[in-house]
Amino acid sequence: MEEGVVGPQAHPAGEENAVDETMELLDKVLQRENMLRALRRVEQNKGAAGVDGMTVDDLRAYLREQWPRIREEVLSGAYQPHPVRKVEIPKPGGGGTRMLGIPTVLDRLLQQALLQELHPIFDPTFSDGSFGFRPGRGTHHALERARAHIATGRRWVVDLDLEKFFDRVNHDVLMARVARQVKDKRVLLLIRRFLQAGMMEGGLVSQRVEGTPQGGPLSPLLSNILLDELDKELEQRGHRFVRYADDCNVYVQTQAAGERVMASLERFLRERLRLKVNRDKSAVARPWERKFLGYTVSREKRPRLKVAPQSVKRLREKLQPIFRAGRGWDLGRTIRALGDILDGWRQNFRKAEVLDVFEQVDKWIRRKLRCIVWRQWKRPKIRERQLRRRGIPRADAKTAAYNGRGPWWSAGSRWVGQAIPTAGLRRLGLVPLVEAQQRLACVV
């Protein structure tokens, strides 16, 4: 990438890659190599334009002309981030909407550059029970830790749900935690300005006095910085817990202990972090009665990971538009359209050990595909002819074609199952989820 994108960087002779340890944090953030790395990450992540309409593809050309001015504004404290563009997306399972704040691509670049320098400062100090937005850690690591806690006999869970966490973060409380390890006041000022950047909706900008909307590169790290205080409190009390972003599960041995923990944590979060527990979505319950990161567990002494019922429901809802569109497609095209979603789903749930859910979903998908074909055959006479062509005896074909029932019932009949066999669907590219899961289990 050409030097002019973010300007030249002077180094002492023979020390082009040297980093001055006495350099203040903001100067490190704006170093050429850090900015180039941030630019590559922003371009790789793509993403929508912000309120100024500038796209990721426009950013390089803009920086060639404007970077010296932008850099000077950031260094002097004069830089003002643009308002974020408000976007609301449906929450999984139909539980309302989640608010996203889309920064401009320039602000995303600066946030990414900040993140790259702040992350090595904060991440090593985070709790071992924290798994969200951290390198080398993810949902599957969190699930394994949760299962290990349950296996020690802690068969009650305090399932904490923070009410609108990303919308309710108190800026003063958060900045006080950031300032414990960041001493460069220019960096603190820039972070606060990103937090306070207004939100644009319908052409109107509203000021923000709380919250760190999801959508910017800095939000995940800031959420971990704030909630690390919760983690440290749990560690100090000797609790076994797993936290992924704002989802936190504490594992205890009795229901009474769980109720005490719930009450004390609710008080701690309210008084120390000014956060509110959503009691409607939080509970003290058995782990197999709750969902965590899309999974639940079996009741055995050594619990096994299972796909939660809510996750199955969400998959079915996601596939329904494809099945509806498939009424006008050939079956192969419908199966190919299902492929990407099913591949992602089986990867997400590759840790599941209880396979009956996969078998049930496979049966449902096959029946939906047969239902599409039955609809495409339309009239009883055509249906009878197609069934006979596929080897169904005349009497059975006639009974099936003129049964007077709807497509869903017909798709589940033995005649349609024989006429459109599972082997035929496999030849068109349908890979059973349970079979793929068994292969993944062998690899793991």
Side-chain angles (χ1 to χ4, degrees):
M1 181 164 45
E2 62 269 32
E3 185 178 83
V5 172
V6 292
Q9 180 75 31
H11 295 282
E15 298 185 15
E16 290 185 3
N17 295 320
V19 175
D20 186 351
E21 294 299 328
T22 65
M23 186 183 298
E24 289 199 67
L25 183 57
L26 186 61
D27 299 297
K28 293 180 180 179
V29 169
L30 296 176
Q31 271 198 317
R32 179 173 180 270
E33 287 306 315
N34 188 57
M35 292 304 305
L36 290 173
R37 189 155 60 98
L39 178 60
R40 288 192 290 269
R41 176 55 65 91
V42 170
E43 290 176 331
Q44 178 184 347
N45 290 343
K46 302 294 182 182
V51 297
D52 61 354
M54 185 187 301
T55 67
V56 171
D57 294 335
D58 299 329
L59 183 57
R60 281 179 180 251
Y62 179 79
L63 291 173
R64 288 190 195 99
E65 296 181 3
Q66 302 296 330
W67 177 246
R69 174 188 61 80
I70 296 166
R71 187 176 188 278
E72 183 55 39
E73 285 183 3
V74 174
L75 285 170
S76 67
Y79 183 80
Q80 292 288 347
H82 287 81
V84 297
R85 182 166 63 85
K86 182 177 180 180
V87 177
E88 290 187 341
I89 60 172
K91 283 187 177 179
T97 60
R98 175 178 288 119
M99 182 181 69
L100 300 182
I102 309 300
T104 63
V105 291
L106 176 59
D107 287 340
R108 294 210 292 272
L109 173 70
L110 292 172
Q111 286 193 36
Q112 179 64 37
L114 277 168
L115 173 67
Q116 291 167 182
E117 290 296 327
L118 291 172
H119 189 272
I121 296 172
F122 284 98
D123 191 77
T125 70
F126 289 155
S127 166
D128 187 51
S130 167
F131 290 86
F133 314 122
R134 300 184 63 190
R137 290 169 167 248
T139 57
H140 293 158
H141 301 98
L143 289 162
E144 290 289 0
R145 182 69 59 84
R147 178 170 62 175
H149 290 331
I150 299 167
T152 64
R154 291 167 173 81
R155 293 168 71 81
W156 287 88
V157 62
V158 181
D159 186 353
L160 283 173
D161 183 274
L162 300 178
E163 189 171 280
K164 296 185 177 179
F165 169 71
F166 285 94
D167 303 342
R168 299 280 174 82
V169 169
N170 182 283
H171 292 171
D172 291 335
V173 173
L174 172 58
M175 290 307 302
R177 272 83 187 150
V178 176
R180 290 174 183 173
Q181 299 197 61
V182 173
K183 304 306 177 186
D184 190 331
K185 292 184 178 180
R186 299 171 301 172
V187 171
L188 297 175
L189 174 64
L190 186 58
I191 294 173
R192 185 176 281 275
R193 283 185 174 166
F194 278 125
L195 288 172
Q196 294 178 336
M199 180 168 289
M200 179 173 286
E201 181 181 19
L204 299 176
V205 177
S206 57
Q207 296 304 309
R208 281 215 318 271
V209 295
E210 62 179 4
T212 169
Q214 299 174 78
L218 263 182
S219 290
L221 176 64
L222 295 177
S223 69
N224 272 339
I225 291 171
L226 182 63
L227 290 176
D228 186 60
E229 188 144 342
L230 170 63
D231 300 340
K232 295 298 194 292
E233 179 70 15
L234 290 168
E235 287 179 339
Q236 187 175 339
R237 297 184 188 185
H239 288 308
R240 304 288 182 91
F241 72 96
V242 178
R243 183 178 65 78
Y244 191 96
D246 57 335
D247 289 331
C248 184
N249 280 2
V250 185
Y251 297 92
V252 295
Q253 292 181 317
T254 66
Q255 183 178 10
E259 297 292 354
R260 289 195 299 271
V261 170
M262 175 69 82
S264 63
L265 290 181
E266 189 173 13
R267 186 166 57 251
F268 171 84
L269 288 163
R270 182 179 64 250
E271 294 175 358
R272 292 283 292 276
L273 300 182
R274 301 192 193 174
L275 295 171
K276 185 178 179 181
V277 172
N278 186 334
R279 289 309 297 260
D280 292 335
K281 295 183 178 180
S282 301
V284 176
R286 296 293 196 178
W288 50 85
E289 296 171 350
R290 304 296 291 178
K291 173 177 71 73
F292 182 55
L293 303 177
Y295 284 73
T296 187
V297 294
S298 63
R299 294 170 179 256
E300 292 100 331
K301 195 169 183 180
R302 181 198 172 277
R304 294 182 296 158
L305 294 171
K306 299 170 56 178
V307 181
Q310 300 94 317
S311 300
V312 176
K313 180 183 177 185
R314 195 180 309 164
L315 173 66
R316 293 189 179 201
E317 291 171 349
K318 202 169 184 180
L319 296 179
Q320 286 289 13
I322 296 176
F323 288 127
R324 281 195 293 271
R327 297 175 190 176
W329 298 344
D330 67 78
L331 206 56
R333 180 180 175 184
T334 304
I335 290 172
R336 288 192 296 275
L338 296 173
D340 289 342
I341 296 175
L342 294 177
D343 286 346
W345 198 80
R346 67 170 61 94
Q347 280 297 320
N348 191 40
F349 292 102
R350 68 180 184 271
K351 283 287 183 181
E353 299 160 290
V354 180
L355 301 185
D356 58 344
V357 170
F358 293 85
E359 293 171 350
Q360 292 163 12
V361 173
D362 281 333
K363 289 178 182 177
W364 178 77
I365 289 172
R366 290 195 295 267
R367 188 166 176 177
K368 292 291 284 187
L369 292 170
R370 290 169 180 140
C371 188
I372 288 173
V373 176
W374 191 255
R375 286 179 180 276
Q376 290 175 341
W377 289 344
K378 292 183 179 178
R379 295 191 296 276
K381 189 176 290 187
I382 297 174
R383 289 168 177 167
E384 181 185 357
R385 185 168 63 246
Q386 291 289 356
L387 290 171
R388 290 185 59 194
R389 185 179 296 170
R390 286 163 172 77
I392 306 301
R394 179 191 294 270
D396 290 342
K398 190 161 190 169
T399 300
Y402 292 89
N403 66 68
R405 308 269 190 156
W408 180 250
W409 185 92
S410 298
S413 71
R414 61 183 177 87
W415 303 298
V416 175
Q418 292 170 12
I420 310 170
T422 300
L425 298 176
R426 290 170 64 95
R427 284 194 294 271
L428 291 172
L430 183 67
V431 179
L433 288 169
V434 69
E435 180 183 294
Q437 187 68 8
Q438 288 167 341
R439 287 203 301 265
L440 282 170
C442 292
V443 172
V444 173

